[in-house]
Amino acid sequence: MKRLILIAAFILTAGTLAAQNYIIVNSEKVFKSIDAYNTAISDLDKLAKQYQDQVDAEVEALYNNYVSQKSSLSAAARQTRENTILNKEKEAQEYQESLFGQEGTLMKKRIEVISPIQKQVFDAIEAYAKQA
């Protein structure tokens, strides 16, 4: 009796597994074929470059000014300038984190721009899956 139940369970399981369909979707290829996605990524890259240039510009200006005047500064003035530059670098790093981090401005913008496109693609995949 136990063998009969096991055989029946095996046949039912095999039948269920054979009835399931699956599909693999190369989402990267799908997204790259959508013009709106490519435009959004391009815009986000430009925005990231602007943010990075903005972060780099201030510290770089301070450093270049320091290097050009270094020989004429006293030791105390040099130390003060170096500390100022280090503090600015720390502030720039924190600002950079606020722009590029997980909760940063760029990530929020990325979610805002890309999410509707992703939703359309995933909805289309789901609709196709229901048809099959």
Side-chain angles (χ1 to χ4, degrees):
M1 186 68 178
K2 287 183 181 179
R3 282 188 182 166
L4 184 59
I5 293 173
L6 278 173
I7 291 172
F10 177 74
I11 291 173
L12 288 174
T13 305
T16 304
L17 290 176
Q20 292 182 358
N21 294 326
Y22 65 93
I23 186 168
I24 298 173
V25 177
N26 184 350
S27 59
E28 182 180 352
K29 188 174 182 180
V30 171
F31 285 122
K32 287 189 177 187
S33 69
I34 299 172
D35 290 334
Y37 179 81
N38 292 329
T39 303
I41 293 296
S42 175
D43 291 346
L44 288 169
D45 288 344
K46 288 176 188 174
L47 187 61
K49 181 157 177 36
Q50 285 177 340
Y51 285 157
Q52 188 61 46
D53 291 344
Q54 183 180 358
V55 168
D56 292 343
E58 191 172 341
V59 175
E60 202 170 306
L62 274 175
Y63 181 74
N64 289 338
N65 189 19
Y66 167 73
V67 168
S68 66
Q69 296 176 354
K70 184 178 180 180
S71 60
S72 64
L73 296 173
S74 66
R78 260 188 260 147
Q79 187 63 39
T80 303
R81 289 271 182 99
E82 288 172 3
N83 288 339
T84 302
I85 292 170
L86 290 175
N87 288 336
K88 277 293 185 189
E89 284 178 346
K90 189 181 240 183
E91 287 175 17
Q93 191 173 17
E94 290 169 2
Y95 181 62
Q96 189 173 22
E97 182 65 30
S98 76
L99 292 174
F100 298 106
Q102 291 287 12
E103 298 296 321
T105 307
L106 191 63
M107 185 58 74
K108 289 176 184 174
K109 183 72 172 172
R110 178 179 219 78
I111 291 169
E112 176 187 320
V113 172
I114 300 295
S115 289
I117 299 168
Q118 285 179 330
K119 185 176 180 346
Q120 287 177 342
V121 169
F122 294 145
D123 288 346
I125 291 170
E126 190 174 328
Y128 181 78
K130 286 181 181 177
Q131 287 177 357

